[in-house]
Amino acid sequence: MIDLYTWTTPNGRKVSIMLEESGLPYTVHPIDIGKDEQFAPAFLKVSPNNKIPAIVDHDADIAMMESGAILIYLAEKSGKFLSTNLRTRLKTLEWLMFQMGGVGPMLGQAHHFLHFKPDVSDYASKRYAEEAKRLYGVMDRRLGEVPYLAGSDYSIADIATWPWISRFEWQRIDLNDYPNVRRWYVDITARPAVQKGYDVPKKVSDIPLP
Ligand SMILES: N[C@@H](CCC(=O)N[C@@H](CS)C(=O)NCC(=O)O)C(=O)O
């Protein structure tokens, strides 16, 4: 059994969606980051960076933080969504790292400067609005060539990226400007495991649709 420590955010949803997709049994432990529960000493033992998501896999005696690393672990454990074919595997890891290093951190800043505090800094609002559009452009070109980020198959690269795109409204992105991202997003939204994982640890809203 896997313990999942999470909250209703894109990084948290990556892991609940992966657990739902792979069929691995898990128990949810909500960590309300709005109430600073991520700073509790007991949670620090599981997640030394004080951030969700984190897991403890009791079968293997493994505790892990960092969503990208957790997705790789769960893919290895379940044998799903990370190909053993070297070329496909490398493409999957490449687009997973693009999410971890670009999409997540940059769109996270866009949420602050375009959604939560749009008035504090024109410089920051403009910078992250432009970077969000640039990243959507990169994904749109890729998804114009292949159905999924890693190529022909749905993978942990898509599972990592989709929850960030589900906040397109906060990023002031019109998905109709990125038809390939729109097609990919709508297709993945239809997956029952995505819909179930989105509502972990609790339902806060319907999944936004363009
Ligand atoms: N690189 C980390 C980022 C995790 C992260 O930023 N988690 C946020 C929620 S999405 C969090 O726990 N924030 C609480 C805080 O910063 O105190 C990952 O991908 O797991």
Side-chain angles (χ1 to χ4, degrees):
M1 184 59 95
I2 293 171
D3 283 330
L4 167 63
Y5 298 84
T6 192
W7 194 238
T8 54
T9 71
N11 287 321
R13 287 175 176 145
K14 291 176 195 174
V15 180
S16 46
I17 289 170
M18 178 62 181
L19 286 162
E20 291 294 338
E21 290 280 16
S22 56
L24 293 166
Y26 67 105
T27 304
V28 180
H29 301 269
I31 302 289
D32 186 342
I33 60 174
K35 292 187 180 152
D36 282 350
E37 290 177 3
Q38 70 274 30
F39 298 112
F43 183 61
L44 181 66
K45 288 204 175 80
V46 181
S47 181
N49 194 29
N50 291 111
K51 288 186 191 283
I52 64 95
I55 61 163
V56 177
D57 181 351
H58 295 281
D59 295 341
D61 193 20
I62 283 172
M64 289 186 82
M65 61 172 186
E66 284 295 329
S67 59
I70 295 170
L71 290 181
I72 294 170
Y73 173 67
L74 295 176
E76 296 289 356
K77 184 178 172 90
S78 64
K80 291 178 180 163
F81 310 119
L82 178 58
S83 176
T84 51
N85 171 280
L86 181 62
R87 277 180 191 281
T88 313
R89 190 179 181 84
L90 291 178
K91 276 290 158 215
T92 308
L93 295 175
E94 178 181 68
W95 286 94
L96 175 67
M97 296 307 147
F98 167 79
Q99 187 288 308
M100 292 301 295
V103 169
M106 293 298 115
L107 297 187
Q109 296 305 312
H111 294 169
H112 283 281
F113 293 107
L114 299 175
H115 178 72
F116 293 119
K117 300 273 181 191
D119 299 327
V120 293
S121 165
D122 285 348
Y123 174 82
S125 300
K126 187 166 179 289
R127 173 179 162 81
Y128 293 112
E130 282 175 4
E131 180 62 0
K133 285 185 184 153
R134 194 191 67 79
L135 288 165
Y136 273 79
V138 172
M139 290 184 280
D140 203 58
R141 282 196 296 282
R142 174 69 178 159
L143 292 167
E145 293 162 356
V146 286
Y148 296 104
L149 288 168
S152 53
D153 294 323
Y154 180 63
S155 76
I156 53 173
D158 304 295
I159 293 172
T161 307
W162 180 90
W164 284 96
I165 305 311
S166 76
R167 293 236 161 123
F168 63 91
E169 292 161 323
W170 289 20
Q171 299 144 15
R172 299 199 194 159
I173 289 288
D174 181 351
L175 278 184
N176 296 309
D177 294 341
Y178 305 94
N180 302 308
V181 177
R182 185 188 199 282
R183 183 263 310 151
W184 168 92
Y185 176 73
V186 170
D187 281 0
I188 293 176
T189 302
R191 295 175 74 92
V194 170
Q195 294 171 10
K196 215 165 161 210
Y198 186 83
D199 289 341
V200 173
K202 62 175 184 177
K203 181 168 173 120
V204 284
S205 63
D206 289 337
I207 298 175
L209 283 170

